[in-house]
Amino acid sequence: MLEIEGLSAFYGKARALEDVNFRMEHESVAIIGRNGMGKTTLCNAIMGISPPAATGSIRFAGRELVGGASHKIARQGIGYVPQGRRLFPSLTVDEHLRIAATRRTSSSGDGEWTRDRVYELFPRLGERKRHGGAQLSGGEQQMLAIGRALVTNPRILVMDEPSEGLAPRVTENLIETFQLLEQEGLAILLIEQNLGVATALAQRQLVMIGGRIAAETTATKLSGDADLQRQYLGVEPLAH
């Protein structure tokens, strides 16, 4: 579904990504790494958000994305949940979903993501549909950012640090949501620094260090190996 070959990205003359290569099918994949390793730059490159300037190849369902406009990339079936949510403070919950839904990519049907279906997935958003983006809690904002991506009816969902700044209980609820979406057949590319979230969602784990995919491992191996956790992420082992 998504194939990246020889991808490099630059901010001016500074290289942020170097020869990134990986591919994913209808599955969940997590890219983990510390801050400053190039994870968000990778998301920007996939979505055609500038900067950075990218070279190499990013193909989605066989179509080349490098050099394409962001809105056209999104219409091909890639939903994006950016780091920090990026909501409009003055728009209500319902207005966010209405605007995004006008750009949906699939025909109507039982499996289509509509505003009503998002409210079923996140009842709290339904209760606060007339509230502005700035009036929502961090967890509610993340629900809205996910819902906004879902109503475009994507084939793949790219999520950049979705657990950032959220309380543990809210994060647990989001993990359950991600697992539900995966069960419904939505492929998820998860960009995460939180190892617990990454290993709970995706068995396949790609480690990004210094703008490169430095290693590939599994959630089972990574969550059970304290030395790997320190080596790849510089963190203390997960508590069991």
Side-chain angles (χ1 to χ4, degrees):
M1 181 178 292
L2 182 67
E3 185 173 12
I4 296 178
E5 293 184 346
L7 179 66
S8 294
F10 303 82
Y11 292 92
K13 294 183 178 180
R15 186 191 299 266
L17 297 177
E18 183 175 0
D19 195 29
V20 173
N21 296 275
F22 74 91
R23 63 184 300 169
M24 62 179 288
E25 299 296 342
H26 299 271
E27 59 185 328
S28 289
V29 175
I31 297 180
I32 59 174
R34 291 172 289 175
N35 284 335
M37 294 295 104
K39 303 188 305 297
T40 294
T41 299
L42 176 61
C43 292
N44 290 343
I46 292 172
M47 298 306 301
I49 299 172
S50 60
T55 62
S57 176
I58 304 173
R59 289 189 296 275
F60 176 65
R63 295 183 177 181
E64 182 61 53
L65 302 184
V66 171
S70 295
H71 66 283
K72 292 183 178 179
I73 292 173
R75 288 176 181 172
Q76 290 185 36
I78 303 180
Y80 184 38
V81 181
Q83 184 178 22
R85 277 72 95 173
R86 302 292 182 90
L87 303 177
F88 295 96
S90 62
L91 294 185
T92 67
V93 168
D94 205 59
E95 287 169 339
H96 274 90
L97 297 180
R98 283 179 181 272
I99 290 173
T102 63
R103 294 166 172 80
R104 58 177 175 260
T105 58
S106 73
S107 58
S108 60
D110 293 339
E112 181 185 7
W113 280 100
T114 62
R115 285 180 295 124
D116 288 342
R117 193 172 173 210
V118 168
Y119 291 143
E120 290 176 5
L121 180 66
F122 298 121
R124 182 61 175 164
L125 291 184
E127 296 170 3
R128 297 175 69 79
K129 65 172 63 177
R130 300 186 185 279
H131 288 69
Q135 297 175 296
L136 304 178
S137 68
E140 292 165 349
Q141 288 181 354
Q142 192 60 271
M143 294 174 195
L144 179 54
I146 295 168
R148 178 180 60 185
L150 289 176
V151 294
T152 68
N153 284 282
R155 297 169 60 189
I156 183 173
L157 190 63
V158 178
M159 295 190 293
D160 189 6
E161 303 280 5
S163 69
E164 183 180 57
L166 300 183
R169 180 56 189 163
V170 177
T171 299
E172 291 175 8
N173 291 338
L174 284 178
I175 290 173
E176 294 174 1
T177 299
F178 301 156
Q179 291 171 338
L180 176 63
L181 294 173
E182 184 185 27
Q183 291 170 10
E184 293 193 2
L186 182 62
I188 296 176
L189 179 60
L190 176 68
I191 313 299
E192 259 297 348
Q193 186 175 193
N194 186 320
L195 187 58
V197 175
T199 55
L201 177 63
Q203 182 62 16
R204 186 179 173 202
Q205 303 280 313
L206 306 179
V207 183
M208 179 164 275
I209 300 175
R212 300 175 64 96
I213 301 297
E216 179 171 344
T217 185
T218 66
T220 301
K221 184 175 182 180
L222 187 57
S223 61
D225 192 324
D227 290 336
L228 280 183
Q229 293 174 31
R230 293 191 184 96
Q231 176 185 349
Y232 292 150
L233 298 173
V235 298
E236 289 305 308
L238 288 172
H240 294 283

